[in-house]
Amino acid sequence: MSSLEFDISPIDALPKTARVVLNGAIDGSSVTIFEERLRQLQADGYSNFVLDMAAIKYVNSTGLGSLVSTADNLERLGGGFALIEVHPKVKVVFDMLGLNSFFKIFMDEVEAID
């Protein structure tokens, strides 16, 4: 069973925005906790997220589906997320599937905020 860890902090420069540093894998065994954690953050008043993906070295099809549906749901509610520091192994998958044009992907938090 894989694990997924979260380190969450507000981004003061942007209202209702949290930086979510992820560590682990987004797959069938962790996707539920990923979705629950983002829903809880929304309940806490956040509608925008900067997901730091530097320590995510694996995302399977379940994880990709969750990222897409979460992005769609947030957008429908007037929010969204940006991905930063996407690990090269994950970036290759995004590129192959054409998801790099779907997701807002930035090099770092400064670029994402700008």
Side-chain angles (χ1 to χ4, degrees), residues 2-107:
S2 70
S3 65
L4 183 61
E5 297 173 6
F6 298 80
D7 183 18
I8 301 161
S9 58
I11 296 177
D12 296 329
L14 296 172
K16 299 182 180 182
T17 303
R19 180 176 192 202
V20 180
V21 180
L22 300 167
N23 187 353
I26 304 175
D27 59 17
S29 64
S30 65
V31 73
T32 302
I33 188 73
F34 172 75
E35 292 171 350
E36 287 174 359
R37 197 62 181 268
L38 288 184
R39 274 194 298 273
Q40 181 58 53
L41 287 168
Q42 289 174 61
D44 292 343
Y46 293 101
S47 56
N48 298 296
F49 303 97
V50 175
L51 302 181
D52 185 326
M53 303 281 286
I56 296 291
K57 295 179 179 74
Y58 178 73
V59 179
N60 72 1
S61 60
T62 303
L64 290 172
S66 177
L67 285 168
V68 169
S69 68
T70 299
D72 281 342
N73 290 336
L74 286 169
E75 187 175 313
R76 215 175 344 222
L77 298 171
F81 68 70
L83 306 176
I84 63 170
E85 299 188 33
V86 177
H87 192 279
K89 289 180 181 179
V90 174
K91 182 82 167 77
V92 166
V93 174
F94 286 0
D95 292 344
M96 287 185 340
L97 297 175
L99 293 174
N100 54 348
S101 62
F102 177 79
F103 293 122
K104 297 172 187 162
I105 301 174
F106 301 97
M107 294 297 295

